[in-house]
């Protein structure tokens, strides 16, 4: 058992550590040759819902680069079929929901609570319990869920969208429908995340991947209250499990997040880390936020970016991560440099 085997968990809880822990969003991904060897053979849902495949894919980055956490290979949309909303992920198109929720009639006739994830998602428990056995005493196991706003927007739009037009029109034309969907998904997400924790996840990341579509006022009305409900309920049930909240593209309303109940806020690459620390206050723990494209640069630039981010964040209360998911085509040797510099760089306090 290494001395820093649980450094990610400890720092996320607010404990001090000798260095900054590091992991990467979307670290189980197509940039890895070993990952592509599997992803080219099996469609996404088969990979993510077949325990032996999902377990192997989850472990690859940790085994190759020694990151401080293993995040389960899955997707934020995985709970939706248990809520009555079917989806698929198609090559070149991404997530697709063939029958989106566009009206109150759609909601009432099709959306249902996910109240027994062990029954609707039995593979999830097997994946996480097996990963916990594999990582116990070696690294931290991370679970994750999509935030209510993001899952609702996907369910309304039917897939990736440039402007989120349909969901944002619903805010004005039928807010009661959007509220009903958000309420229902919030309860389902709590159950789904709690099942992950009971199955072995040691910390949870809540992804508001479509946060960039929201104005500050819309964030306050349609995203923050529901993300807060998830966080507060999970912390009540699992007080020792840190919750990280990541709202992609949320730099414009960062100050509205500083009073959230999450143990840590993950920052995207669009905001300056030093400014973000000043905005949030050093009492708020943060993760991030290196631009994923820096991993296409040379070794010296990658190491410099790691050091700059760690310095700007301050010595404590920070987990090094990218400011969004690692990109396809990222050279694996550059990922190794990123992780290596994070582990070797110990900032000397001013």
């Amino acid at each position: 058992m290494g001395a820093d085997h649980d450094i990610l968990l400890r720092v996320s809880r607010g404990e001090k550590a000798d260095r900054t822990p590091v992991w990467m969003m979307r670290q189980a991904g197509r940039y890895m040759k070993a990952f592509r060897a599997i992803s080219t053979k099996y469609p996404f849902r088969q990979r993510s819902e077949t325990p032996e495949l999902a377990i192997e894919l989850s472990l690859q980055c940790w085994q190759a680069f020694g990151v401080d956490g293993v995040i389960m290979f899955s997707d934020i949309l995985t709970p939706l079929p248990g809520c009555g909303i079917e989806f698929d992920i198609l090559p070149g198109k991404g997530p697709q929901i063939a029958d989106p929720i566009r009206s109150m009639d759609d909601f009432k006739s099709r959306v249902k609570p996910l109240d027994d994830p062990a029954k609707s998602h039995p593979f999830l428990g097997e994946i996480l319990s097996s990963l916990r056995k594999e990582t116990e005493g070696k690294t931290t196991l991370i679970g994750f869920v999509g935030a209510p706003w993001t899952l609702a927007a996907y369910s309304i739009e039917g897939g990736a969208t440039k402007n989120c037009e349909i969901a944002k029109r619903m805010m004005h034309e039928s807010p009661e429908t959007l509220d009903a969907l958000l309420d229902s998904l919030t309860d389902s997400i709590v159950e789904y995340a709690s099942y992950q924790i009971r199955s072995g996840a040691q910390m949870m990341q809540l992804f508001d991947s479509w946060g960039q579509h929201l104005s500050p006022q819309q964030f306050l009305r349609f995203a923050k209250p529901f993300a807060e409900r998830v966080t507060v309920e999970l912390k009540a049930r699992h007080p020792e499990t840190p919750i990280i909240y990541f709202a992609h593209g949320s730099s414009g309303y960062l100050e509205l997040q500083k009073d959230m109940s999450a143990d840590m806020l993950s920052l995207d690459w669009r905001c300056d880390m030093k400014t973000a620390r000043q905005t949030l206050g050093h009492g708020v723990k943060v993760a991030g936020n290196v631009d994923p494209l820096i991993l296409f640069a040379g070794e010296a630039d990658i190491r410099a970016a790691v050091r700059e981010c760690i310095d700007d964040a301050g010595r404590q209360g920070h987990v090094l991560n990218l400011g969004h998911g690692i990109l396809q085509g990222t050279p694996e040797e550059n990922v190794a440099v990123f992780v290596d510099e994070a582990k070797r760089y110990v900032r000397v306090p001013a």
Side-chain angles (χ1 to χ4, degrees):
M1 183 183 294
D4 61 355
H5 72 280
D6 61 348
I7 188 171
L8 174 58
L9 183 62
R10 288 188 285 111
V11 170
S12 298
R13 286 173 173 165
E15 299 176 28
K16 293 184 177 182
D18 294 332
R19 65 169 176 86
T20 300
V22 56
W23 68 282
M24 297 167 292
M25 289 185 282
R26 211 177 288 157
Q27 64 185 28
R30 290 175 289 176
Y31 71 97
M32 293 189 71
K33 182 179 179 181
F35 183 98
R36 295 194 300 273
I38 294 174
S39 67
T40 54
K41 294 180 181 179
Y42 306 99
F44 183 91
R45 287 194 61 178
Q46 185 175 355
R47 278 178 274 145
S48 63
E49 298 177 15
T50 302
E52 56 266 31
L53 296 177
I55 292 165
E56 181 176 353
L57 293 170
S58 301
L59 293 170
Q60 285 176 342
C61 183
W62 171 60
Q63 292 169 336
F65 308 117
V67 286
D68 292 310
V70 167
I71 187 166
M72 169 187 65
F73 175 71
S74 187
D75 190 81
I76 59 172
L77 302 188
T78 297
L80 288 184
C83 305
I85 305 169
E86 287 295 333
F87 80 98
D88 203 354
I89 297 182
L90 305 179
K93 292 185 177 181
Q96 299 289 301
I97 295 172
D99 199 7
I101 307 300
R102 298 283 173 80
S103 68
M104 184 62 81
D105 285 343
D106 288 343
F107 169 76
K108 290 181 176 179
S109 62
R110 293 169 38 214
V111 179
K112 60 183 181 180
L114 195 168
D115 50 14
D116 188 2
K119 182 177 180 180
S120 60
H121 295 73
F123 55 87
L124 193 71
E126 183 176 348
I127 291 167
L128 283 164
S129 61
S130 297
L131 285 172
R132 183 63 181 271
K133 291 176 184 176
E134 183 69 29
T135 58
E136 186 70 39
K138 302 173 186 176
T139 194
T140 298
L141 180 58
I142 310 163
F144 71 92
V145 291
W149 156 250
T150 291
L151 293 193
Y154 257 120
S155 301
I156 295 164
E157 295 286 337
T161 174
K162 182 178 180 180
N163 297 314
C164 200
E165 179 182 347
I166 303 171
K168 293 186 76 171
R169 285 178 59 185
M170 188 180 285
M171 293 176 179
H172 304 284
E173 296 172 0
S174 186
E176 66 279 2
T177 300
L178 182 52
D179 280 335
L181 182 58
L182 285 164
D183 272 326
S184 180
L185 289 174
T186 297
D187 292 339
S188 294
I189 290 166
V190 169
E191 296 303 328
Y192 183 74
S194 181
Y195 179 55
Q196 289 188 41
I197 296 168
R198 297 195 308 273
S199 297
Q202 294 170 281
M203 53 189 292
M204 294 293 301
Q205 178 137 328
L206 184 60
F207 283 92
D208 238 339
S209 305
W210 284 22
Q212 79 271 20
H213 292 298
L214 298 171
S215 70
Q217 294 76 20
Q218 290 164 344
F219 172 73
L220 287 173
R221 172 67 175 82
F222 295 104
K224 183 178 179 179
F226 300 97
E228 272 290 276
R229 273 177 49 192
V230 173
T231 303
V232 169
E233 180 61 30
L234 286 177
K235 289 175 72 65
R237 297 187 190 188
H238 310 281
E240 298 301 313
T241 303
I243 310 295
I244 305 172
Y245 178 68
F246 175 64
H248 178 230
S250 65
S251 303
Y253 50 83
L254 191 60
E255 72 281 358
L256 300 179
Q257 299 176 55
K258 65 183 180 180
D259 63 345
M260 294 181 74
S261 300
D263 296 277
M264 180 173 284
L265 296 177
S266 189
L267 310 175
D268 76 12
W269 59 269
R270 293 173 179 84
C271 67
D272 175 74
M273 175 60 81
K274 189 176 292 185
T275 303
R277 279 299 229 179
Q278 293 169 351
T279 299
L280 295 169
H282 280 267
V284 176
K285 297 182 289 296
V286 296
N289 69 330
V290 177
D291 183 349
L293 278 167
I294 198 67
L295 295 182
F296 289 88
E299 178 176 343
D301 287 342
I302 295 170
R303 292 188 184 277
V306 168
R307 294 193 297 270
E308 180 181 21
C309 186
I310 291 173
D311 285 345
D312 287 349
R315 186 66 189 89
Q316 300 296 335
H318 173 228
V319 170
L320 184 72
N321 206 317
L322 300 174
H324 199 229
I326 190 169
L327 297 169
Q328 185 177 2
T330 298
E332 292 188 47
E333 60 269 25
N334 289 0
V335 175
V337 169
F338 180 83
V339 176
D340 177 70
E341 186 61 28
K343 288 193 163 188
R344 71 166 62 222
Y345 184 59
V346 178
R347 177 182 177 274
V348 178

